[in-house]
Amino acid sequence: QVQLQESGPGLVKPSQTLSLTCTVSGGSISSGSYYWSWIRQPAGKGLEWIGRIYTSGSTNYNPSLKSRVTISVDTSKNQFSLKLSSVTAADTAVYYCARGFGVFGGGMDVWGQGTTVTVSS
Amino acid sequence: QSALTQPASVSGSPGQSITISCTGTSSDVGGYNYVSWYQQHPGKAPKLMIYDVSNRPSGVSNRFSGSKSGNTASLTISGLQAEDEADYYCSSYTSSSTLYVVFGGGTKLTVL
């Protein structure tokens, strides 16, 4: 079965770019009609959808983050990535990657375990 | 402030039924039959429980059911069990400016 694993630095300095990668195992990132998302959760708070990408390269982003976010996919490595620029302490959170199904409906049915990113000097 | 409004907490005794509401607008919950619900235990990743308002993924207990009326969606859990104690989040597509996904603020379910 498909599994997702986030990886990347746990500590990022303010104003720098946060970079995370999600590795897909147990299946091809290109198979099926799936999309690949990033979601984050500050400690003790709720979930925030960051954005998603299809293997075609088509993306959708949360408007509140759109100016700072880039999500990309590397099908040869079975990975997709998140870049969030100009980070501040408000970007400190657990970051999850997830697989979604359905162009408009559906949901996110496979999640990574999450990785904690702290923004601090 | 979350785009979708959920009660901060609900509680129930084992065996009882509870309902968690999720209120949005005509641009999200009311405009699409694309509401989903996630369960999250402490320190764990969320788990999809309901999609497209009332559909259960394979493996999810039929004690969980979803519905929608107007701009409010609901998750009902019947026959409450101790393992149901968790945070629950609703989500929906929204087209208020561009197409994206919004979550509710989450509801803490306590099984008494």
Side-chain angles (χ1 to χ4, degrees):
Chain A
Q1 70 189 44
V2 172
Q3 293 182 311
L4 307 181
Q5 179 67 57
E6 306 89 350
S7 60
L11 180 64
V12 182
K13 289 181 166 50
S15 80
Q16 293 190 342
T17 296
L18 177 161
S19 296
L20 296 175
T21 296
C22 183
T23 300
V24 180
S25 59
S28 170
I29 197 171
S30 300
S31 67
S33 301
Y34 298 113
Y35 61 84
W36 307 91
S37 278
W38 288 97
I39 303 97
R40 69 181 183 179
Q41 184 174 36
K45 296 187 178 181
L47 302 169
E48 181 178 31
W49 189 79
I50 298 171
R52 70 176 179 183
I53 189 166
Y54 289 87
T55 51
S56 64
S58 173
T59 56
N60 299 102
Y61 297 131
N62 187 324
S64 69
L65 298 170
K66 185 175 182 178
S67 64
R68 300 193 291 130
V69 172
T70 301
I71 297 176
S72 59
V73 63
D74 187 336
T75 55
S76 67
K77 294 183 179 180
N78 235 30
Q79 296 176 334
F80 63 106
S81 299
L82 168 70
K83 291 188 185 299
L84 180 66
S85 63
S86 305
V87 297
T88 69
D91 295 309
T92 294
V94 175
Y95 284 75
Y96 294 100
C97 60
R99 183 185 79 173
F101 63 93
V103 176
F104 291 103
M108 292 172 281
D109 63 342
V110 181
W111 292 64
Q113 65 185 26
T115 188
T116 299
V117 178
T118 301
V119 178
S120 175
S121 56
Chain B
Q1 186 172 355
S2 302
L4 306 180
T5 300
Q6 299 180 232
S9 62
V10 298
S11 62
S13 299
Q16 289 186 331
S17 294
I18 63 94
T19 297
I20 300 171
S21 62
C22 171
T23 301
T25 69
S26 58
S27 294
D28 39 64
V29 173
Y32 307 95
N33 287 324
Y34 298 144
V35 176
S36 53
W37 290 90
Y38 298 86
Q39 175 193 64
Q40 186 180 35
H41 287 108
K44 300 295 186 181
K47 175 186 177 183
L48 179 65
M49 305 302 285
I50 296 287
Y51 68 95
D52 293 352
V53 175
S54 59
N55 293 304
R56 278 187 309 275
S58 175
V60 172
S61 171
N62 60 9
R63 298 186 299 106
F64 292 82
S65 62
S67 62
K68 191 188 85 166
S69 177
N71 294 338
T72 298
S74 299
L75 172 71
T76 298
I77 309 174
S78 59
L80 269 181
Q81 299 179 0
E83 67 207 50
D84 299 331
E85 184 164 298
D87 293 326
Y88 291 84
Y89 294 90
C90 63
S91 75
S92 173
Y93 279 85
T94 180
S95 58
S96 58
S97 57
T98 183
L99 182 66
Y100 65 105
V101 173
V102 290
F103 283 99
T107 298
K108 170 65 177 177
L109 168 62
T110 300
V111 180
L112 302 171

